[in-house]
Amino acid sequence: CFEHSEPLKYHCGQCDEVICGGCALVGKHHGHKPIRNVKDVSKEHTAQALESVSKVKTAIVPKLENCLQIVDDVSAQLGREAESVRGEARQAGVKAKEMIDMQVEQIVQQVDDLEQYRHKLLDGQCDDLASQLRAARGVIEFSEKLGSLESKPDVLFP
């Protein structure tokens, strides 16, 4: 104690302070009740603390363990559900890709068919133009021959 220079061996229950014998007999804690030995109070506080720990152990720890198990279960369920969603997404992607591939093939086939149709049209037009060109050349050739025979009227009409 700073005031009496004695060891702190007592506990003032009224003030809840550790005090020396001088404080209990003549000092500011004189007449306070209960004044008890620090060791006895310490034993009681230790017993109370152990009782509190026991209550925590029996009441709170199982609840915390249960909560931890619930969190673990939810975490595992989350993992399973996420894997399931990933699988569904992959399957949907495969189906979408197959559908796109089918549409691409249909478009390519339509382009091929259109190309063949237009080539046939162009081939027919080329044949018609070639035939018209031959006819025009035949007319030109006939006309040129006729023009060269014009100076020989007796050839045409004997």
Side-chain angles (χ1 to χ4, degrees):
C1 172
F2 292 114
E3 189 177 334
H4 300 109
S5 298
E6 292 182 25
L8 303 174
K9 293 183 178 182
Y10 301 97
H11 177 264
C12 174
Q14 187 173 326
C15 300
D16 195 25
E17 293 181 16
V18 179
I19 60 173
C20 72
C23 288
L25 294 175
V26 292
K28 65 180 184 175
H29 297 277
H30 177 72
H32 289 183
K33 301 257 183 207
I35 303 291
R36 298 177 51 212
N37 187 302
V38 167
K39 290 181 183 179
D40 294 338
V41 174
S42 176
K43 286 179 185 176
E44 285 179 15
H45 284 191
T46 300
Q48 289 172 356
L50 288 174
E51 185 178 332
S52 295
V53 167
S54 177
K55 286 179 183 177
V56 167
K57 182 179 177 181
T58 58
I60 295 174
V61 169
K63 289 178 183 177
L64 291 174
E65 288 172 342
N66 186 44
C67 289
L68 183 60
Q69 184 60 49
I70 290 169
V71 169
D72 286 345
D73 293 346
V74 168
S75 178
Q77 181 66 26
L78 174 64
R80 288 189 297 274
E81 289 175 5
E83 187 57 36
S84 174
V85 169
R86 280 191 286 273
E88 290 173 11
R90 286 184 189 107
Q91 288 176 348
V94 167
K95 287 181 183 179
K97 185 179 181 305
E98 289 172 356
M99 291 176 62
I100 290 170
D101 289 346
M102 281 182 15
Q103 289 180 347
V104 166
E105 287 303 315
Q106 289 175 351
I107 292 169
V108 166
Q109 185 60 50
Q110 289 173 350
V111 169
D112 290 347
D113 293 347
L114 184 59
E115 179 188 25
Q116 288 176 355
Y117 172 75
R118 288 189 175 174
H119 272 297
K120 285 181 184 178
L121 285 177
L122 288 172
D123 289 346
Q125 289 173 349
C126 282
D127 290 347
D128 288 346
L129 288 171
S131 176
Q132 290 174 7
L133 180 59
R134 281 191 301 278
R137 284 183 177 155
V139 169
I140 291 171
E141 184 181 326
F142 177 76
S143 297
E144 286 175 342
K145 283 184 184 181
L146 188 61
S148 66
L149 293 178
E150 199 173 287
S151 56
K152 303 176 191 175
D154 54 340
V155 175
L156 284 173
F157 304 104

